Amino acid sequence: MKDYNILIIDDEAAQLDILTGYLKKKGYKIFSASSGKEGIEIAKNNSVDIILSDYKMPDLNGTEVLEQVKKINPEISFVIVTAYGTVENAVRAMRIGAFDYISKPVDLDELDLMIERIIEHNNLKSENQLLKTQLQDKYKITSIVSQSRKMEEVINIAARVADSKATVLITGENGTGKEVLAKGIHYLSSRKEKSFLAVNVPALTETLLESELFGHEKGAFTGADKMRKGRFEVAHGGTLFLDEVGDIPQSIQVKLLRVLQEHNFERVGGTEKIEIDVRIIAATNKDLEQKIKDGAFREDLFYRLNVVSIKIPPLRERKEDILPMIENFIQKFCKENNKEKLEISKEAVNILMRYSFPGNVRELENIIERAVVLTRGKIITVDDLPMNIKGFKDEKSLAALGNGTLTEQVEAIEKQLIYDALQESGGNQTKAGMLLGLTERNLRYKLKKYNIKH
């Protein structure tokens, strides 16, 4: 932790001395500069991990220093040190790449926490980069693309749980990539040489689902003219993915619970105990805790499935991932359709960035595939996007409007703006309130009003 190199830039000698002395005692290697230009030169010629820069300085302000530093090394974590009157400028600096800001006079305990948070974030990025490299290069699972903190946390949990025996419950809206993540967990585990089998629960009737999972003996029911192994038996030694597990009928929930507890089962119509070693990964877009309250899902089964829970956020809550996903999908579909490399226009990107993607990653993938196939030139333009998305050309993220009353439409706009501000501020309600021009109290009221959980 103390191997980090920190550069402090401040034109006030007293502040510079205090911060330098304090952080040196903490064991960090410290560089100091009394002007923005001097700080930039130090960043050019030395290995720097974190920069604490005053915002208001005679030669360059903090934003100008940040812009230059990002050109030198975009991986440097940049923190703006700001007086009360320039907090708005500091928030603006966060939009172009600052990690965070801290107010003057600097609270040293708060500074400690911020540096620890930066180090934890950087460690997380390093771990996730290794995971993504393994997933993409070794197993060709290129759909896992992330730059947002939320998805970095998801991938980090997946990496840590992968080689355990723990059952995993992946939650999230349709189209967020639950099965892709499940495959990633399987291929990073010691089970990777064995089968990964998926069962789409809602696609099967109760009778078919029971037979699909557990198999059946000859004559077990009409049409069972021979013995058939089920998915549990075939997946022995590997992973079984239960998609939309919340839709499993209660009669089968009992059998599934027994398998999870005892690691054996009987085929439909059979009496022989079949021992199995199968890792279960389940997924759902349902609120299982509410289904438990409604009596539709067994509480004991929920706790067996929910040993490790991973929630994948919807795409609208991690818009930093949209552009890299677009680039990834363009590359993928150009290759599949034998097309030369395409680019996408800035206007088309802007429209996609404003869209709310109710269908999440799956919808974005379909949009880009369509655009790659239909475009006549070398650049994907607005004209290559579906009609329902072109309507965002001159609007501000109005996907949730629909055809409601004026009050409903205004509330939809307000709700979307709050989502955007929370995303931009990394979930910090104080900063989100500043971006929206609201007091923290007013923002809390609106979060409760619209049932926004962040």
Side-chain angles (χ1 to χ4, degrees), residues 11 144 189 320 383:
D11 62 315
I144 296 183
S189 75
E320 306 99 308
D383 292 335

Coordinates of all heavy atoms in Angstrom, one line a residue, residues 11 144 189 320 383:
D11 N 0.1 26.0 -4.7 CA 0.9 27.3 -4.7 C 1.0 27.9 -3.3 O 1.8 28.8 -3.1 CB 0.4 28.3 -5.7 CG -1.0 28.8 -5.3 OD1 -1.8 27.9 -5.0 OD2 -1.3 30.0 -5.3
I144 N -18.0 -9.7 -22.4 CA -17.8 -9.0 -21.1 C -16.9 -7.8 -21.4 O -15.7 -7.9 -21.6 CB -17.2 -9.9 -20.1 CG1 -18.1 -11.1 -19.8 CG2 -16.8 -9.1 -18.8 CD1 -17.6 -12.0 -18.7
S189 N -13.0 -21.6 -13.8 CA -12.9 -22.6 -12.7 C -12.1 -23.8 -13.1 O -11.8 -24.0 -14.2 CB -14.3 -22.9 -12.2 OG -14.9 -23.8 -13.2
E320 N -20.8 4.4 -19.1 CA -19.4 4.3 -19.5 C -19.0 3.1 -20.3 O -18.1 3.1 -21.0 CB -18.4 4.3 -18.2 CG -18.7 5.4 -17.2 CD -19.5 5.0 -16.1 OE1 -20.6 4.4 -16.3 OE2 -19.1 5.2 -14.9
D383 N -28.7 7.4 -39.7 CA -29.6 6.8 -40.7 C -29.6 5.3 -40.6 O -30.5 4.6 -41.0 CB -29.3 7.2 -42.1 CG -29.6 8.7 -42.3 OD1 -30.4 9.2 -41.6 OD2 -29.0 9.3 -43.2

